[in-house]
Amino acid sequence: MSYDTQVPPTAAPLTPMRNGLGTAALILGIIGTLSGLIPLLFWLAGILGLIALILGLVGKGRVKRGEANNKGVTLTGAILGLAALVLSVVGMVITFTAVSDAVDEIDKAIKDSAPKDPSAKAPADSSKAPAAEKGTSLADGDTSVYDDDLQVTVSDPKPYTPGEYAVGHTKGNKAYQVTVVIENAGKEKFDTALANVSARAGKNSVTAEQVFDGKTGAGFEGTVLPGKKATAIFVFDAPKDAGNLTVEVNPGWDYNASQWELKIG
């Protein structure tokens, strides 16, 4: 008597998930990002961020092939690695800038503490002053000459009729145009970008608004080479009964402004 014994099939062994790279990417990404928040640790953030990004990308490939099932962890690790790289660049810039500023300050302190040469001439005032005494107003056609031989001249104001769509003109007021000439008699080129022209009018010195109507108001542009000059026309709005117009010209941040007292009306 024989018995037919049937052996049940054995289940195929499960392949273990290879989640190590994703987990490592997440841990290194977190540490790298935190390091990036401290500028001095930019180097550490850069190294850890790069490794985390690489491990995250490799781990993502494993997830696609079904060899790993921690897609969220892997993706987060790669993103944190990229963030750490960005923070490392920012930290590097901040650190190098701070070091450069510190070196400049040290050099300046060393120069300031060095013994002075009695025969050396004292440095000129960093703010270039006009030849005219401070507080003295100039008349129309007068020229203000600065220490670096920059010359500014303001002409006699002339009545001006603003256009229909002019900006800055108030109905009932009068408008006057003045011509400002900047001549560079020095040896260095002069940038007119920072030149500022303003005005006040009347006995109460109210602000005279600058008028823009497409024909005037552009101001100065470009650079004036040595031996050359630049001319610009400005139009200012003044009360109808104003008898004077005070025009102030400041060639730049390191210059003192000059004023012209002009008669109008």
Side-chain angles (χ1 to χ4, degrees):
M1 186 175 182
S2 63
Y3 296 93
D4 185 13
T5 59
Q6 186 175 3
V7 180
T10 58
L14 297 176
T15 303
M17 292 291 110
R18 303 169 66 187
N19 293 330
L21 291 182
T23 303
L26 178 63
I27 295 174
L28 294 179
I30 293 174
I31 299 175
T33 303
L34 294 177
S35 300
L37 298 176
I38 304 174
L40 289 177
L41 297 180
F42 69 89
W43 56 273
L44 180 60
I47 295 174
L48 296 181
L50 180 60
I51 297 175
L53 181 60
I54 294 174
L55 294 181
L57 294 177
V58 176
K60 184 179 178 182
R62 286 185 176 180
V63 172
K64 286 186 176 181
R65 294 192 300 271
E67 300 175 359
N69 59 2
N70 61 341
K71 179 179 179 180
V73 172
T74 302
L75 182 60
T76 302
I79 294 174
L80 288 176
L82 181 61
L85 286 174
V86 173
L87 290 175
S88 70
V89 174
V90 175
M92 179 177 62
V93 173
I94 294 175
T95 302
F96 287 173
T97 302
V99 171
S100 177
D101 292 343
V103 171
D104 291 342
E105 289 296 326
I106 293 174
D107 289 342
K108 182 179 179 181
I110 293 175
K111 291 179 180 179
D112 292 341
S113 61
K116 306 297 181 180
D117 183 2
S119 62
K121 294 183 179 180
D125 188 353
S126 60
S127 179
K128 300 180 180 68
E133 295 181 1
K134 295 180 179 179
T136 301
S137 295
L138 303 170
D140 61 271
D142 286 346
T143 300
S144 179
V145 182
Y146 287 82
D147 298 339
D148 59 350
D149 291 328
L150 187 72
Q151 301 178 12
V152 181
T153 306
V154 176
S155 70
D156 186 24
K158 298 179 181 180
Y160 182 85
T161 302
E164 182 180 358
Y165 301 103
V167 177
H169 177 61
T170 302
K171 186 177 180 180
N173 285 0
K174 292 184 177 181
Y176 297 90
Q177 76 172 38
V178 294
T179 302
V180 180
V181 178
I182 296 179
E183 182 175 357
N184 185 3
K187 298 180 180 180
E188 301 291 335
K189 64 181 181 179
F190 174 74
D191 188 0
T192 63
L194 298 178
N196 179 62
V197 180
S198 59
R200 300 187 302 275
K203 60 182 180 180
N204 294 326
S205 293
V206 297
T207 299
E209 297 292 340
Q210 186 176 349
V211 178
F212 299 86
D213 64 356
K215 297 180 181 179
T216 63
F220 289 101
E221 295 180 357
T223 301
V224 183
L225 297 177
K228 302 295 182 179
K229 63 177 65 176
T231 302
I233 296 177
F234 296 84
V235 176
F236 295 102
D237 190 62
K240 187 176 181 179
D241 59 349
N244 69 291
L245 185 68
T246 303
V247 177
E248 181 174 288
V249 180
N250 190 335
W253 287 342
D254 55 348
Y255 289 83
N256 289 329
S258 298
Q259 291 186 354
W260 283 256
E261 196 68 30
L262 312 175
K263 293 182 180 181
I264 58 176

